[in-house]
């Protein structure tokens, strides 16, 4: 495949450019009998939608998803599910300036060299616009995982520039435009973003996703380990430059006696592994962190080259996120849902017969 | 697939347990006409081999790879290449103790729950033993990339516990058992490992891989981006808990004006992106870092559970690496080679016609 | 994948039910720079469209395809191409009768058992309605193959019930509603179909597809041979029950001395192999034949069972094709184009370097 | 993939040339806990083995398969299964003559043009030698299908040249070297083959495979239908030129009122469909027929070209099958087993939740 399909058994294939007619996708492999409606998917689409706060781009995307097939009388039929979101907002002229200019830190130059031409309007296919379909598809997976296995997925902002989030309260996350789970940090974030906007600059962020009530046994060694597929999924989100499972890079300085999560009949005594052992889910919470670079779409002028390889200057005018990382929260949740869903189907495909005589211990003691 | 195949066009499928008869693999999709011999692959196998220094396990694996097919009169024929390495060293009794015990931090528990049974000898399929085949297969990709595109791949240790490597000199890396590119750190590493061995403990590490002379245009958006596939490949290496492309988690605190790599007619002025823009190679050096957890196979006693879910104690006797991260260097090189090779074939499959009118700028100004 | 994706490098994924909101698909892997417009695809869609003659169903499908992405300023961009066809004609009430009845020879029973529920309206996903998207996608492949390699694809009716077509004149094929390449058989076909319609019965057919100007070397042994993938593609067309390459079942009674196609410096002296040797294209014309069963949607009453497994009677009222095989002609052309296109990209992905020193001989002496 | 992998969830990847060191393969996705040993696989390998009668090549292949991994204490572990068969018989000199000559009807010419070089010894990769691994892998699938679902697979010769087999008695099939299920035809076959051998010529054959006790619901529309995947599998067997499901090409002359298999509460009244409706298994017997061309390896002299494109003569000396079709019987059984196995896992992956309220009717009334 040329890269627009995600998953092996529960697959999502997407299409669409930032300023084309529409974006859409196809879910293939969804189990039949799942009650699903457009409103189920709209919830996360609205969370992802820009312009929900003054800290994200003012661009208005309606992001109204339509289910075109695969659902009959309110239930999935087991056939492929067609998803469509029309692009209502196509101010192409906004982007005419960058037609012949390669924005630094963007995909303009690489798309041009790879394909020999590109849809320059708003970044075309390389725009984060495309992630709306991932969120919609992830919504289907989320609902199945919740209804059939009680698996819940929570994403949140864990750091924005210098501001680290210490306490995690999922009930707080969706009450503020930062997806910040720590009430005490809201004012600092507010202030930081205001200053940033004045500077016309942008900042990076760290986002985390956790899945609870995970079953044991998901993940296909050797190459399609659960953690490997999670890394693939998260690094595939626009602007992500790093992925960690559990303690991630902190393990570099940990000793074996300190790192290993002790198992007791009452459960695991810690979760430094982040819920994966040997590439297979352990039943502990799945913990994934990711680093998102600051967007290069800023009003601070910069040097760059044009389509002829000549030197020129670039300034991104108008709408942009000072921190694209914030919007990545629902996208990361969706990708995690897609990975877990895919591995759930793959695992039961091969191992439906299995009856382990070893009792399952709780994720936490 | 059940997870034992890597890649889409240049694929590697592997089999084999730590203490089975043999391990092996099949390379499918290798271009014909490449001069290759077992000695080409043996070089990296020997670098990976344990027992090459007193800091890695004393276990003697011969790791002699045999090419069983796909090569005729010294050249690849375009048909699938069979690789085989016999297991000469099968002291199963060493492992009889762990037959009914789940080692913490290992895959024993998850394999048992996923499959209902497991080959407990030396970790069976979950043992790093399997990576020998990845290294052999990576050797084929490495040679093709070097001969046909001048691409060179250098892996090295960038941190071991508290010891950070500052200067990188590739000519130093292979002159010491740590794959350390910094002469000035060898003594400190030596001392640290000696103490660690006395404690019977282990430590984490950070390993980096760099590819130079990269072409522009490799990587398949949206999901199979070059960085996403690199993350998948590296997170799939035993003990890896985190992956970074370029500046990775440092970008969380970077501003857009500081992060974006400026393009000039003379080339890129920096490489914080690590050689990837929008999931496609930019022609800059490809830079990947990974965190490896400390092995849980230590002689420090620990609590755990047995196959019946009852509490018990575990001590890993005999051979083990105090730092498994060290041995990951040639493995990481191999995985990077496999990813780049696969994307090279995928890209020319779709884009062989492409003639970009924009001049390619150098990776570095 | 759950079966709705076709191809490996040039992939087509489809969705949509007979009487849903719309049907659609995504082409992934199309080379960039190909000039394509909706009108290019509409030509074959109109050939496939029912109601083009009194011998095919009177149902009016507009079949107007929209290209939603992947094409910019008239050229493909290398990104995924979204295709959409709205269902204008949704007379669901026509089908209310079969809601609880399983039509013999149809997929009603198997879909119900596989998925536990089904969209019974007009056969839902199992309806030939879905093939419209295959035809549209095939149109993109057809244009690329023609423009870049001069490959031409001709499908035609080679038998309808007892009426065998002897002479093949491609210029005749599209001048009549039977896709019959033999002028002299038109009257007999006309008469036969008229009688059939009176009986309220249906008949089977044999359809053939030929590709000319084929390059040598397409096809991936061992399993993804060109002929194997053609068989997969054609047997996947609704109602197809048999597939032949070249002489097909006639080879059962042929002797080796008679079957082998002699090669001379001037070219092959015959083409019993149908253009494939060892699973790889030989440069001869690619010749594929397929058998299509008679549709079971007939007004002759029949016994069957209902959704509760009880005995009942079925009569298909209203619109239906007396010979569904006729409409398969443009579908078979599309599937052949998709297979050749996919193998073209796969072959150059792996073998772009190859320079054979053996001269290519013509397909025909 | 470059074509050496078969299947999606239960995959088989193979390697090996006719006269290389060894041939082998990897099964990935086999459910754990299946009792399997080399002797289970050897049975069919011996049935396939040449030299078992004077009607098949006198070449002695030991075909002793070794299981190198994935089986522990007599049971599959769920990890990949390595299979190896050493080539004991490597009389390369036998083939030195064809080094520079392209045998008509063989893959010599197409391999040379595709890859630019070839292992000419005994046809290299294109030799039927490779099918031994398919048979071994199929043996694993066969055992699982039998033990877990009671599915049985019977292959047999249904026609050899002009000799048609009328009555099918599975108990007869394996009692004679022709895999002929009709005792009354053995003498005629014997005589025909004797004459053929005198002529130094070869003949085509028709082979059939039937699976009984099939479950309802296997097959993934739209493209990966059970019948489509069967066609892919069978057309991928060396020398196969045609594939039929059920009545196959006979349906061309059938009417709808005659073709449709009537369903009653007691079961289906006929099986013209061959066990597949809408690409999904119906619970009826799965019936597949295939046409195998006569081998071109005959001692009747023929004209051809050499590696420089010049005219030359070819005679195949020594060992060859006068009817390669005969040996295809166990290969066809293996491929059918692999297809059904793969679809079984795929179906339960997606549809494990399904509880159909419609009673399953018997395959036969």
């Amino acid at each position: 495949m040329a890269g627009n399909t995600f998953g092996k058994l529960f697959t999502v294939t997407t299409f669409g450019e930032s300023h084309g007619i529409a974006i859409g996708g196809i879910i293939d492999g969804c189990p039949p009998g799942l009650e699903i409606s457009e409103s189920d998917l709209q919830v996360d689409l609205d969370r992802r939608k820009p312009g929900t706060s003054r800290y994200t781009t003012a661009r208005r995307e309606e992001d109204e998803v339509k289910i075109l097939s695969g659902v009959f009388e309110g239930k999935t039929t087991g056939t492929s599910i067609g998803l469509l979101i029309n692009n209502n907002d196509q101010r192409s002229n906004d982007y005419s300036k960058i037609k012949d200019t390669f924005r630094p830190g963007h995909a303009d130059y690489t798309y041009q060299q790879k394909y020999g031409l590109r849809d320059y309007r708003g970044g075309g296919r390389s725009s984060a616009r495309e992630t709306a379909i991932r969120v919609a598809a992830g919504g289907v997976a989320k609902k199945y995982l919740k209804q059939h296995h009680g698996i819940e997925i929570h994403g949140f902002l864990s750091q924005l520039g210098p501001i680290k989030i210490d306490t995690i309260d999922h009930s707080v996350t969706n009450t503020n435009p930062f997806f910040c789970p720590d009430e005490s940090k809201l004012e600092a974030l507010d202030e930081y973003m205001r200053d940033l906007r004045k500077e016309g600059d942008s900042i990076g962020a760290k986002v985390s996703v956790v899945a609870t009530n995970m079953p044991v046994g998901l993940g296909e060694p050797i190459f399609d380990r659960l953690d490997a597929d999670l890394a693939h999924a998260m690094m595939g989100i626009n602007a992500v430059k790093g992925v960690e499972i559990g303690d991630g890079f902190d393990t570099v300085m940990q000793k074996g006696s300190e790192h290993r999560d002790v198992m007791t009949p009452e459960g695991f005594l810690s979760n430094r592994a982040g819920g994966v052992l040997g590439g297979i889910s352990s039943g502990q919470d799945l913990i994934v962190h990711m680093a998102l670079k600051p967007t290069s779409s800023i009003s601070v002028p910069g040097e760059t080259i044009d389509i002829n390889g000549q030197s020129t200057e670039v300034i991104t005018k108008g709408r942009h996120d000072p921190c694209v990382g914030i919007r990545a929260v629902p996208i990361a949740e969706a990708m995690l849902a897609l990975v877990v869903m895919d591995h759930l189907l793959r695992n039961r495909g091969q191992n439906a017969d299995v009856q382990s005589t070893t009792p399952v211990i709780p994720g936490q003691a």
Side-chain angles (χ1 to χ4, degrees), chain A:
Chain A
M1 273 116 234
N4 293 286
T5 294
F6 186 84
K8 292 264 169 76
L9 267 197
F10 185 93
T11 64
V12 178
T13 306
T14 73
F15 70 82
E17 280 77 49
S18 174
H19 287 62
I21 298 165
I23 60 174
I26 301 173
I27 299 172
D28 198 13
C30 184
L34 177 69
E35 287 184 14
I36 198 88
S37 72
E38 279 135 355
S39 57
D40 289 314
L41 314 184
Q42 201 60 48
V43 182
D44 284 330
L45 280 169
D46 293 343
R47 289 174 65 219
R48 187 207 79 93
K49 190 162 49 184
T52 48
S53 83
R54 68 180 180 288
Y55 305 110
T56 56
T57 130
R59 173 180 180 188
R60 262 188 346 313
E61 302 174 349
E62 279 321 320
D63 280 0
E64 258 176 39
V65 66
K66 276 192 233 114
I67 297 175
L68 300 178
S69 71
V71 177
F72 182 57
E73 297 176 343
K75 286 182 176 169
T76 56
T77 61
T79 62
S80 48
I81 300 171
L83 300 171
L84 191 75
I85 298 177
N86 287 308
N87 286 333
N88 304 321
D89 181 11
Q90 300 175 34
R91 306 195 219 138
S92 297
N93 51 326
D94 283 7
Y95 295 92
S96 55
K97 280 191 204 58
I98 61 165
K99 175 182 178 182
D100 298 331
T101 306
F102 299 133
R103 295 167 299 166
H106 279 283
D108 303 339
Y109 174 72
T110 51
Y111 268 68
Q112 186 76 29
Q113 296 295 27
K114 182 181 181 70
Y115 300 116
L117 76 170
R118 74 189 207 280
D119 178 348
Y120 49 78
R121 301 167 302 165
R125 183 67 175 153
S126 70
S127 161
R129 172 71 181 144
E130 150 274 329
T131 58
I133 294 299
R134 307 194 202 186
V135 169
V140 176
K142 267 184 172 183
K143 188 159 188 192
Y144 184 88
L145 294 173
K146 180 75 192 302
Q147 283 202 352
H148 287 255
H149 298 273
I151 299 170
E152 296 205 13
I153 295 166
H154 298 284
F156 51 90
L157 180 76
S158 41
Q159 186 174 345
L160 185 143
I163 305 169
K164 290 201 172 83
I165 277 72
D166 310 309
T167 62
I168 296 164
D169 179 347
H170 294 323
S171 70
V172 172
T173 303
N174 292 312
T175 64
N176 63 80
F178 304 106
F179 296 108
C180 172
D182 181 351
E183 198 99 49
S184 70
K185 292 289 163 58
L186 295 180
E187 197 175 314
L189 289 167
D190 207 40
E191 196 175 327
Y192 188 87
M193 293 290 278
R194 203 181 312 111
D195 299 346
L196 199 62
R197 190 167 278 277
K198 285 203 201 91
E199 300 169 33
D201 212 334
S202 64
I203 191 71
K206 185 177 175 185
V207 160
S208 304
V209 206
V210 174
T212 59
N213 299 321
M214 282 291 295
V216 191
L218 304 191
E220 301 299 326
I222 293 301
F223 297 113
D224 298 345
R225 297 165 191 241
L226 185 59
D227 42 4
D229 281 1
L230 285 167
H232 173 259
M234 300 308 167
M235 197 67 91
I237 297 174
N238 309 44
V240 170
K241 301 302 290 181
V243 179
E244 298 181 309
I245 305 294
D247 284 4
F249 280 87
D250 290 348
T251 63
V252 171
M253 296 187 65
Q254 291 174 352
K255 288 190 172 178
S257 53
E258 163 195 10
H259 174 81
R260 59 182 175 187
D261 300 313
V262 172
M263 291 179 280
T264 73
E266 295 68 41
F268 288 86
L269 297 187
S270 57
N271 188 10
R272 296 192 179 81
V276 185
L277 288 172
I280 301 169
S281 66
S282 63
Q284 297 171 280
D285 287 354
L286 206 53
I287 303 172
V288 187
H289 307 290
M290 65 208 73
L292 291 106
K293 70 176 185 182
T295 179
S296 305
S297 299
I298 54 180
S299 45
V300 181
E303 182 188 3
T304 190
I305 59 169
D306 65 19
I307 201 163
N308 302 315
Q310 301 307 307
S311 187
T312 182
E313 199 199 45
V314 67
I315 304 178
T316 305
K317 283 236 157 21
R319 356 174 264 204
H320 75 270
D321 283 346
C323 181
V324 294
I326 295 171
R327 286 177 59 189
V329 168
I331 303 165
E333 290 177 356
M335 295 312 296
L336 185 140
L338 292 176
V339 170
V340 172
M341 185 72 192
D342 191 37
H343 276 285
L344 191 79
L345 302 195
R346 291 173 72 175
N347 184 59
R348 73 188 188 189
Q350 180 179 359
N351 301 314
D353 309 326
V354 172
Q355 303 281 359
S356 175
T357 57
T358 300
V360 171
I361 62 170
Q364 276 73 23

